[in-house]
Amino acid sequence: MGVITATTELMQLLRQQDPDDLAVYLDRLNKEHFSLVTLINALSPLLVMESNLRFCSFHLIKMSLFLRKLSLSGLLSQATEIALAKMVVQHLFYLEWIELSVSPFVHSPDPIDAPLDNILTEIRKGNAHNAYFYAALALKDNMPQLFSTLLLNGVLSILDTLGHALSCFFPVLEQLVDMDHPAAGTALFSYILYLCRLRKNSLSVRQSAPGTTIPDR
């Protein structure tokens, strides 16, 4: 028997929104080989594209990546992994999400002098398409400063839940975007979309060098 992952069958069930068929699929997890890590890896493009975020930030993908890390560390029993997998899939089943996959590869025939500044300029305009282009360029050439810039602006977008926002944003950058995950481009694009939605509350801070401080409001 092969490993149960987010197969074409599961993706089809999620699209069809049939709870009975989904229940049959989940019941099979008790009878066949299963990998929580591969399930979460495969579902990450959907998890990171959750729509109408109820907690104002990436809550479900954050928790899923936390479970993934526990599984990779060998801290979960098989029975626990199956129970957690069912919870993640059932939760995703009743959420709104966009099935979208974005490649982190972009091409520019000419060098871009200040991609970080350009990212923030486009975010202030609400132009996610152009902002993503510059972010993907920075991902290749200037990843640490890109991450600092995105995290600073992400947490400043919802100041009343600073810790919650940071705890949601950081795992996505650390485990999806920074590790060449198949969902890396989609995760980065989803983050850009988030900043575009909340751009009115953002200070548009760019961390250009170590030791840069966040200005007072």
Side-chain angles (χ1 to χ4, degrees):
M1 290 182 293
V3 175
I4 294 292
T5 63
T7 61
T8 302
E9 178 187 0
L10 175 55
M11 297 300 295
Q12 189 64 27
L13 291 173
L14 289 170
R15 295 185 190 108
Q16 292 176 348
Q17 295 286 291
D18 188 322
D20 294 331
D21 288 344
L22 182 65
V24 172
Y25 180 91
L26 293 176
D27 184 61
R28 285 169 40 204
L29 297 183
N30 296 321
K31 304 177 179 65
E32 303 184 42
H33 294 297
F34 168 75
S35 170
L36 180 62
V37 171
T38 51
L39 180 86
I40 291 176
N41 282 342
L43 288 179
S44 289
L46 296 186
L47 292 167
V48 82
M49 287 303 296
E50 178 186 349
S51 185
N52 298 318
L53 301 171
R54 296 163 302 155
F55 297 99
C56 299
S57 50
F58 301 147
H59 182 77
L60 183 56
I61 182 61
K62 172 195 72 173
M63 295 307 301
S64 298
L65 292 175
F66 175 69
L67 298 175
R68 175 178 174 269
K69 181 173 286 190
L70 291 179
S71 179
L72 287 170
S73 300
L75 298 176
L76 303 175
S77 68
Q78 181 77 355
T80 298
E81 291 204 1
I82 290 173
L84 291 172
K86 290 181 178 181
M87 180 185 66
V88 170
V89 173
Q90 288 171 337
H91 204 59
L92 183 61
F93 184 81
Y94 290 106
L95 288 177
E96 296 176 354
W97 40 266
I98 304 168
E99 189 174 350
L100 177 68
S101 179
V102 181
S103 169
F105 174 79
V106 297
H107 170 68
S108 175
D110 301 308
I112 305 296
D113 293 331
L116 293 176
D117 289 331
N118 291 336
I119 293 168
L120 298 178
T121 297
E122 297 300 336
I123 287 174
R124 284 194 294 270
K125 297 176 182 177
N127 193 336
H129 186 277
N130 285 0
Y132 177 78
F133 170 77
Y134 294 119
L137 287 177
L139 182 65
K140 294 189 297 183
D141 302 326
N142 203 358
M143 184 186 295
Q145 292 183 13
L146 170 66
F147 283 11
S148 296
T149 297
L150 293 177
L151 283 173
L152 283 170
N153 284 274
V155 298
L156 288 171
S157 297
I158 43 177
L159 290 173
D160 56 337
T161 59
L162 180 62
H164 183 81
L166 184 60
S167 71
C168 288
F169 296 138
F170 179 74
V172 171
L173 294 179
E174 177 193 35
Q175 297 186 49
L176 295 187
V177 180
D178 190 28
M179 297 181 66
D180 197 27
H181 191 280
T186 308
L188 180 60
F189 183 63
S190 182
Y191 201 155
I192 294 295
L193 289 175
Y194 177 89
L195 293 179
C196 285
R197 289 195 297 271
L198 297 181
R199 64 189 184 278
K200 293 181 180 179
N201 298 327
S202 174
L203 294 180
S204 294
V205 177
R206 180 173 75 85
Q207 183 164 337
S208 56
T212 301
T213 57
I214 302 174
D216 295 331
R217 289 183 72 88

